[in-house]
Amino acid sequence: MKTTDTTPPADTPGPAGPQDAAPAGTVTAPPAVRKTAPPAARESKSGGVLNVFSHGVLVIWAVLVVMPLLWAVMTSFKDDRSIFTKPWSLPDSLHFENWSRAWTQAHMSDYFLNTVLVVAGSLVGTLLLGSMAAYVLARFEFPGNRFIYYLFIGGMSFPIILALVPLFYVMNNLGLLNTIHGLILVYIAYSLPFTVFFLVSFFRTLPTSVAEAAIIDGASHTRTFFQVMLPMAKPGLISVGIFNFLGQWNQYLLPTVLNTDPENKVLSQGLVQLAVSQGYKGDWSGLFAGLVMAMLPVLAAYIIFQRQVVAGLTAGALK
């Protein structure tokens, strides 16, 4: 039988026309794939732009805040002529007599002492009473717990200017008008709502097992609070203490209405009196020196306790 060798048929081209056929002996390249950036690269690029923008805003904000402070400190060492003729230049010489004149002749020493007494007493009372009330509201369930808590919240939203007239008559009837201790009590009442609101959320984040262990060991509720829970709440106490210190140190409205005795005036009242008494020919260098004196304790307190402030603010959000 005669057989014939047959080659297998070649692959037939598809429906494409003759123009799409590749010449014989050539290798066709695969179709080009369009490259796209991975999602991580796109996110890092957008995050970098946002980071640059946020840093730019922070730099502008820092300049707006720091420049007036530096200018006030620089001006406190100038004489009156240089303040008006060369307001943005550095002082030719440091006039420390501005500070001594403001401290003695403008009675800034008396105002400073009164402010320290008022703020120290009110700060201790606010932290003590506020921490005790916040601990009870955060840890104990009893009828009226939420009602009392919302009363403190309502105290935060109540405008202090609406309470000035009745507060004046109450202080006058109690014989506390124009007194240091009367002003301390008013500052405590003014600062308690925010203090309780801040510390209630902080005490809720503290572990209950420690307090329960102290109760099992025979400690009373008072001893558990002062020796166990209060030291654990130190970051929160420092944070709310700094906020209360800033508000009470710079308070002007309450002492203006409730403290009109010249011997008991605080720093904010003294600075206003110094500015008003100058008239057309004033001691501007002494005024700026007194302004810096009133500003330095606040800056020092925040610089020293800035880590504790941040730790107290973040601790209340973490379990």
Side-chain angles (χ1 to χ4, degrees):
M1 180 179 294
K2 186 177 180 181
T3 60
T4 57
D5 297 333
T6 58
T7 59
D11 296 336
T12 58
Q19 66 275 11
D20 296 329
T26 61
V27 180
T28 59
V33 180
R34 187 176 182 181
K35 296 182 178 180
T36 59
R42 292 197 300 267
E43 291 178 1
S44 63
K45 185 177 179 180
S46 60
V49 174
L50 183 61
N51 197 18
V52 171
F53 177 76
S54 60
H55 278 72
V57 173
L58 290 177
V59 169
I60 295 175
W61 179 260
V63 171
L64 293 176
V65 172
V66 174
M67 284 302 295
L69 300 180
L70 295 179
W71 183 78
V73 174
M74 180 183 66
T75 307
S76 66
F77 291 101
K78 292 182 178 181
D79 56 2
D80 292 338
R81 181 179 179 84
S82 299
I83 292 176
F84 290 98
T85 57
K86 296 179 291 184
W88 298 107
S89 63
L90 294 175
D92 300 330
S93 60
L94 299 179
H95 296 271
F96 290 100
E97 65 272 10
N98 299 339
W99 289 62
S100 61
R101 190 171 61 253
W103 186 258
T104 56
Q105 298 181 11
H107 306 288
M108 294 300 295
S109 58
D110 299 332
Y111 303 146
F112 193 91
L113 179 61
N114 293 336
T115 307
V116 169
L117 293 176
V118 172
V119 173
S122 60
L123 198 60
V124 172
T126 301
L127 293 180
L128 179 62
L129 298 177
S131 60
M132 294 170 66
Y135 176 74
V136 172
L137 293 175
R139 293 292 178 153
F140 297 94
E141 293 293 338
F142 56 90
N145 181 301
R146 304 305 297 173
F147 177 74
I148 297 175
Y149 175 73
Y150 287 125
L151 281 181
F152 282 107
I153 302 300
M156 294 176 56
S157 60
F158 189 79
I160 189 61
I161 193 171
L162 297 181
L164 288 179
V165 174
L167 186 60
F168 177 86
Y169 285 105
V170 169
M171 297 285 290
N172 189 25
N173 294 333
L174 295 177
L176 299 175
L177 202 64
N178 299 326
T179 59
I180 296 294
H181 55 279
L183 200 59
I184 291 175
L185 293 177
V186 173
Y187 278 18
I188 292 175
Y190 172 76
S191 305
L192 268 181
F194 172 74
T195 304
V196 172
F197 169 74
F198 187 94
L199 291 179
V200 163
S201 59
F202 191 87
F203 275 117
R204 287 174 179 169
T205 62
L206 298 180
T208 58
S209 58
V210 180
E212 292 173 354
I215 296 296
I216 293 174
D217 290 339
S220 62
H221 289 293
T222 304
R223 186 176 180 183
T224 302
F225 171 73
F226 283 104
Q227 295 187 358
V228 178
M229 303 305 295
L230 201 60
M232 294 176 62
K234 182 180 177 181
L237 291 174
I238 293 178
S239 299
V240 75
I242 291 296
F243 289 126
N244 285 328
F245 175 77
L246 297 178
Q248 294 173 4
W249 185 271
N250 297 320
Q251 182 62 241
Y252 175 70
L253 185 61
L254 288 175
T256 300
V257 176
L258 305 175
N259 185 32
T260 57
D261 188 357
E263 295 182 357
N264 294 330
K265 286 187 175 181
V266 295
L267 269 176
S268 56
Q269 294 175 285
L271 288 175
V272 173
Q273 182 178 355
L274 180 61
V276 172
S277 62
Q278 292 185 96
Y280 294 98
K281 185 179 179 181
D283 185 9
W284 295 100
S285 56
L287 177 62
F288 277 99
L291 178 64
V292 176
M293 287 180 189
M295 183 176 60
L296 285 180
V298 177
L299 292 177
Y302 186 79
I303 291 173
I304 294 173
F305 297 105
Q306 59 178 336
R307 293 182 181 273
Q308 288 81 357
V309 171
V310 176
L313 292 176
T314 56
L318 301 176
K319 199 75 173 177

